[in-house]
Amino acid sequence: LNKNKLTDEKSTLEESRKTLQDLMDNDSSVRKVMAEEFEDLKDKFGVPRKTKIVKEDGSGELDEVDLVQNSRSVIVVTRGGYIKRMPLQ
């Protein structure tokens, strides 16, 4: 009885070790596990949005372009390759 228990535990631990080693070795395995966990969280806690974001005039939903403030600005590129946008004032 005790020997069977120990054999079962050993095989379970070996499977766990193989799974964990695969996760450490392969990024695709990690992404697959993450995707599965995110799907589980979505199924458990996800609820659809109850409100709609519409334009002020009520003519439908907003696009991404509608959310960006239209203002004059200056784009600066540094020698190091950094790009910065500053408002023109």
Side-chain angles (χ1 to χ4, degrees):
L1 178 69
N2 216 6
K3 185 177 181 179
N4 289 338
K5 238 179 159 179
L6 290 174
T7 306
D8 290 342
E9 184 178 359
K10 180 181 177 183
S11 64
T12 304
L13 290 174
E14 285 177 356
E15 289 177 23
S16 296
R17 185 190 66 78
K18 286 179 184 177
T19 303
L20 293 173
Q21 188 66 40
D22 183 49
L23 287 173
M24 289 184 355
D25 293 339
N26 298 321
D27 287 340
S28 61
S29 297
V30 174
R31 287 189 180 95
K32 182 179 177 183
V33 169
M34 286 175 59
E36 291 171 0
E37 290 178 357
F38 288 146
E39 284 296 321
D40 292 342
L41 288 172
K42 179 182 169 186
D43 294 340
K44 186 175 180 180
F45 298 110
V47 293
R49 187 178 182 95
K50 295 181 181 179
T51 60
K52 286 190 174 185
I53 301 174
V54 295
K55 295 181 182 178
E56 290 179 8
D57 59 7
S59 64
E61 293 188 20
L62 293 173
D63 296 328
E64 285 185 33
V65 175
D66 296 329
L67 299 175
V68 177
Q69 182 180 3
N70 190 9
S71 63
R72 297 182 61 98
S73 58
V74 175
I75 309 294
V76 178
V77 180
T78 65
R79 290 182 194 161
Y82 293 102
I83 300 172
K84 182 177 181 180
R85 188 185 97 193
M86 298 183 299
L88 187 64
Q89 293 179 359

